Amino acid sequence: MEIKRRIKVLVVDDSAMVRKTITDTLSLDPEIEVVGVANDPLIAKEKVARLQPDVMTLDMEMPRMDGLTYLRQLQSERSVVAVVVISSITQKGSQLALEAMDAGACEVLAKPDGSTSVGTLAAKLTFHVKAAHAAKQRFRHSPKAAATPAVSFGKTNQDGVQARPGDRRLVVVGASTGGVEALRALLPALPAGLPPILVVQHIPAFFSKAVAERINALAEYEVREAVDNELILPGQCLIAPGNYHLMVVAHSGGYRTRLTQSPPVHHCRPAVDLLFRSAAAAARRHCLGVLLTGMGSDGALGMQAIREAGGINLTEHEDSCVIYGMPRAAVQLGVVDKTVTLDRMPQTILDTLSSLPA
């Protein structure tokens, strides 16, 4: 039997404690091998050339060269190393993390500090390292995907889609690895005046606000973080805050939000399944579920609940997914009505909304 090669990881951070924490955590997984550490990007450059890691964990603020500058250099060199950014969860750190994703980072995690424990990081780290490795492998071996990094959307037909008084239609969207870029392409391509859209993206605390603000600047309608117990209105998109589950509850003929910090689901908080299940219970046959790129199976059981309640489910096609994990799990469960590539998703959402009972 062929022995699977372990994922080689280089840990880059100027904090000795963080380097040890990451190394110790990753070394517990038999599928991962930490091949080296570096306390700044200049040392990392030499070790990348010598050790040929598959994945690098990268701090943003370091001496001699910051992580963002180094990441941009890696991108210009067409490096095959997948990068997981581990950033402080301050607002400044969130902006840097967003720029890091623009520069090619696969994942962003919160750096352990007074408010984010080492244990919280450890629970997610191996999952995200594997996801980053899988994403890089996909684009390395898929000329089609590598050749078309930008998504082009045609003009959408909006007939019969605009929300009207008493409209019960609701759109719920879930995504993980690659989802930030997918959402930044998809949401601005949708017109204003639609039924409300709720989004769960696997994301660290505070980073979700920066993502929402970036998308809001591009969209024709309001996009922002959700707050607890607010009325969900047509013509807006609410994104789950990092570290909070987002759910929907029926209220006086409409819907309200519910945010909780109940235990993670699928190692994630927020979790797509909790949003989808609550939307199925509240909106029933008025619900449209959309599942985008991501590793794992979060969202599949939620889509099953939407299907059983009479709603409709769409998933992103493998051809445009960074990671075809979450959509695949829903397809394999037999609860998906239609699968389309990301460039066709805006019009498919509108077409599906026009067929849902208001």
Side-chain angles (χ1 to χ4, degrees):
M1 184 177 67
E2 183 180 354
I3 298 176
K4 184 178 179 180
R5 186 178 74 82
R6 291 194 289 175
I7 299 169
K8 297 192 295 182
V9 179
L10 176 67
V11 177
V12 185
D13 198 292
D14 63 328
S15 165
M17 183 196 76
V18 173
R19 291 197 303 271
K20 184 176 189 306
T21 298
I22 294 173
T23 299
D24 290 349
T25 300
L26 293 178
S27 296
L28 293 173
D29 193 303
E31 297 178 8
I32 295 174
E33 176 187 8
V34 177
V35 294
V37 299
N39 61 12
D40 68 43
L42 299 184
I43 296 173
K45 283 184 179 183
E46 179 273 324
K47 293 198 173 183
V48 166
R50 178 164 53 87
L51 301 173
Q52 298 291 301
D54 302 303
V55 179
M56 177 192 306
T57 68
L58 182 65
D59 185 19
M60 284 287 94
E61 299 181 41
M62 290 178 290
R64 298 208 290 173
M65 180 186 292
D66 63 87
L68 183 58
T69 299
Y70 180 42
L71 185 56
R72 287 170 173 159
Q73 287 186 6
L74 287 172
Q75 186 182 45
S76 68
E77 296 165 0
R78 298 182 180 275
S79 172
V80 297
V81 180
V83 176
V84 175
V85 167
I86 300 182
S87 173
S88 66
I89 59 173
T90 61
Q91 188 60 33
K92 178 184 176 182
S94 297
Q95 293 297 333
L96 283 173
L98 195 55
E99 291 184 52
M101 297 204 79
D102 289 340
C106 296
E107 296 276 6
V108 174
L109 293 177
K111 192 172 185 177
D113 62 11
S115 60
T116 304
S117 69
V118 170
T120 300
L121 174 65
K124 300 178 180 179
L125 187 55
T126 55
F127 176 86
H128 287 290
V129 164
K130 291 177 182 179
H133 177 60
K136 202 70 172 184
Q137 288 292 106
R138 168 168 168 74
F139 282 96
R140 187 183 304 174
H141 298 300
S142 173
K144 178 180 178 181
T148 57
V151 179
S152 176
F153 296 103
K155 184 173 177 58
T156 52
N157 179 1
Q158 303 174 30
D159 292 345
V161 183
Q162 300 295 293
R164 43 197 184 271
D167 203 322
R168 294 298 306 274
R169 290 175 297 177
L170 179 69
V171 182
V172 287
V173 181
S176 186
T177 310
V180 171
E181 293 304 311
L183 291 169
R184 282 164 59 183
L186 170 63
L187 294 176
L190 296 171
L194 295 183
I197 302 169
L198 301 183
V199 177
V200 162
Q201 161 73 44
H202 295 162
I203 204 165
F206 293 94
F207 185 38
S208 51
K209 183 178 181 181
V211 170
E213 289 174 348
R214 180 75 66 93
I215 297 173
N216 183 62
L218 300 172
E220 296 179 0
Y221 51 91
E222 182 185 30
V223 180
R224 61 174 172 81
E225 278 190 320
V227 298
D228 187 38
N229 197 34
E230 69 173 310
L231 188 63
I232 300 171
L233 300 173
Q236 67 177 191
C237 173
L238 302 178
I239 297 178
N243 205 32
Y244 283 86
H245 293 305
L246 170 62
M247 291 176 285
V248 186
V249 293
H251 176 82
S252 301
Y255 309 108
R256 298 191 81 90
T257 59
R258 177 173 293 165
L259 298 181
T260 76
Q261 287 192 305
S262 55
V265 177
H266 305 290
H267 305 289
C268 298
R269 187 170 62 205
V272 181
D273 268 338
L274 292 188
L275 172 62
F276 282 13
R277 287 175 181 172
S278 67
R284 304 195 64 78
R285 63 194 182 98
H286 307 282
C287 184
L288 169 58
V290 180
L291 197 55
L292 304 176
T293 175
M295 187 172 179
S297 62
D298 191 17
L301 292 176
M303 279 197 155
Q304 184 176 51
I306 291 173
R307 165 65 71 84
E308 291 172 350
I312 297 178
N313 292 318
L314 307 175
T315 55
E316 183 179 351
H317 194 278
E318 181 177 9
D319 285 351
S320 63
C321 282
V322 174
I323 296 286
Y324 187 57
M326 288 159 50
R328 184 203 302 273
V331 169
Q332 290 178 339
L333 200 57
V335 295
V336 177
D337 296 284
K338 194 166 187 178
T339 296
V340 298
T341 51
L342 188 60
D343 62 314
R344 294 177 55 203
M345 189 63 79
Q347 187 61 58
T348 304
I349 288 174
L350 298 185
D351 292 344
T352 307
L353 278 172
S354 68
S355 70
L356 282 178

